[in-house]
Amino acid sequence: MSTTRKETDVWMHCSNSAVRRAARQLGQLYGGVLGASDLRSTQFSLLSQIASSGEPTLKSLAGAMVMDLSALGHTLKPLLRDGMVEMLPDPHDKRVKRVRLTAEGEARRGELMAAWRDAQDRFDSLLGRDKSEELRRTLAQIGSPEFAAAFAAAGKGD
Amino acid sequence: MSTTRKETDVWMHCSNSAVRRAARQLGQLYGGVLGASDLRSTQFSLLSQIASSGEPTLKSLAGAMVMDLSALGHTLKPLLRDGMVEMLPDPHDKRVKRVRLTAEGEARRGELMAAWRDAQDRFDSLLGRDKSEELRRTLAQIGSPEFAAAFAAAGKGD
DNA sequence: TGCATTTAGTGGTATATGCCACTAAATAGG
DNA sequence: CCTATTTAGTGGCATATACCACTAAATGCA
C-alpha cells in the first residue's frame, strides 16, 4: 500500500532528522578521538567559542552557539564547577554576566586542540575538503538568525 | 596576535560544532511548526522511523536512528508512558524486544504529518530543493555505519 | 520623576543522549 | 552437555537542551 511509501518518505526527507542523526554520529566520532579527557566534545566547542569571543555575555554566547539562554546556563554549570570557566559581572549593566576561560580551562582546551585537529582532518579527508567546507557553509547558513527569521516569515505569508 | 586567529579557526572549521548548531536551530524551527502538541520533533522522528520499520527490535531501531541503545531506551520511556508505542517480546529470542506504534501513536503521528510537511517545505524553499537534497544525502553519508568505520580506520593507519 | 515594559539571568521540570555496570539469554567451543 | 563468550536490554548517573515562571535591572515615556 501507499501508506508504507509515505512513511518512508518522512525519515528520508526530513532535514531535521538527518541533521540530528549526523550530530549523534559526529558526537560519537569526535568524542572518541578526544578520548576520556575531562572535556566532552560539546564542552570543547563551547570553550572554543568563549575563547574566540573574548569575554562574551551569556546572551551573546547563547546567540553564537545557537542555543537557548537557559540551556547555556545549565551547560555552563559543570564547567564552572570544574573551574574551566568563570563568571564576571559587567561593569556597565548589573543584569549582565560575562564568561571567560580560567587558566585551567585554557590549558585543557589547548591540550585537546591536537586531538580535535586529528578528528577534523579525518572528517575532511573522508568527505573531501571541498564537500566538507561546503557542508559547513550550508550548516552555518541554517544556523544563522537570518535563516530562522526567513523560516518564520515563510509561515506568515503562507 | 596569531592566537586569536587559531581560536577562531576552531569553531569556524569544526564540523561537529556546525552540525550541532544546525541541529539546535532546526529543533527550534521544526518544533515551532509542530506546535505545542503532545509530541516533540524528536519524538515525531522516532515514531516515523518506527512506523517505517514495522516492528523493529530496540537494537535495530537504535542503529537506524544512529543512537545509543540505552539512549533509545530512555527516549522511549515517555512515549511508552503516554501510550504512543508499546513493547512486544520477540517470539524467537527472549532477549529481544520489539517496538510498535499504538493506535494512539499512529493517530498522533498522522495529525502531525501536515505540519511536518509544512516545515520541510519551508526548509526546502529557503535552501533550495537541490541544495536541500544534497545536504540530506551528505548527512546520511555521515550517519552511515560505513562512515563511522572509515573514520575509525583513518585513526589506525595514521 | 515614576511607573510600565523590556531585557538578562536563574531555577525548576522534562526530554535527549551517552557511558558504564549488570542481568538474562543465546551461542560457540571442547 | 557444560562452560566461556557474546548479545540485547535495563538502570543509574551525568551532560545537553528546551520551555516556563520568576527576579532584578535598565529603559521608555508620560
Side-chain angles (χ1 to χ4, degrees), chain A residues 14-26:
Chain A
C14 183
S15 301
N16 184 38
S17 284
V19 86
R20 291 190 88 86
R21 275 171 227 248
R24 285 189 290 261
Q25 178 85 282
L26 292 187

Side-chain angles (χ1 to χ4, degrees), chain B residues 56-72:
Chain B
T57 66
L58 291 189
K59 183 74 195 271
S60 68
L61 183 55
M65 295 295 292
V66 192
M67 191 181 288
D68 183 84
L69 173 60
S70 81
L72 174 62

Side-chain angles (χ1 to χ4, degrees), chain A residues 51-70:
Chain A
S52 78
S53 301
E55 280 173 9
T57 66
L58 292 188
K59 183 75 194 269
S60 68
L61 183 55
M65 296 294 293
V66 191
M67 191 181 288
D68 182 83
L69 173 61
S70 82

Side-chain angles (χ1 to χ4, degrees), chain A residues 61-153:
Chain A
L61 183 55
M65 296 294 293
V66 191
M67 191 181 288
D68 182 83
L69 173 61
S70 82
L72 174 63
H74 294 313
T75 300
L76 239 23
K77 268 172 206 165
L79 293 170
L80 282 163
R81 180 199 59 201
D82 299 340
M84 300 289 142
V85 300
E86 57 193 344
M87 223 87 114
L88 345 146
D90 184 280
H92 300 309
D93 189 332
K94 288 178 194 165
R95 292 171 305 177
V96 172
K97 287 184 185 174
R98 292 173 177 278
V99 211
R100 75 168 160 218
L101 299 193
T102 60
E104 175 77 5
E106 181 54 44
R108 293 290 184 196
R109 195 180 74 80
E111 289 166 14
L112 288 178
M113 281 291 298
W116 167 74
R117 192 67 249 166
D118 177 25
Q120 189 57 44
D121 283 346
R122 286 195 218 178
F123 180 88
D124 288 343
S125 296
L126 272 170
L127 210 58
R129 307 253 166 214
D130 292 350
K131 204 169 167 187
S132 179
E133 234 184 80
E134 158 79 8
L135 173 63
R136 277 192 298 280
R137 253 197 309 278
T138 301
L139 293 172
Q141 181 187 349
I142 292 170
S144 73
E146 292 75 34
F147 189 89
F151 188 95

Side-chain angles (χ1 to χ4, degrees), chain B residues 10 22 37 42 45 64 70 88 100 104 114 131 141-142 144-146 156:
Chain B
V10 174
S37 69
T42 49
S45 295
S70 81
L88 346 146
R100 76 168 160 217
E104 175 77 6
K131 204 170 168 187
Q141 181 187 349
I142 293 170
S144 74
E146 292 75 33
K156 302 275 184 180

Side-chain angles (χ1 to χ4, degrees), chain B residues 42 68 70-71 74 81 93-95:
Chain B
T42 49
D68 183 84
S70 81
H74 294 316
R81 181 199 57 202
D93 189 331
K94 288 177 195 166
R95 292 170 304 178

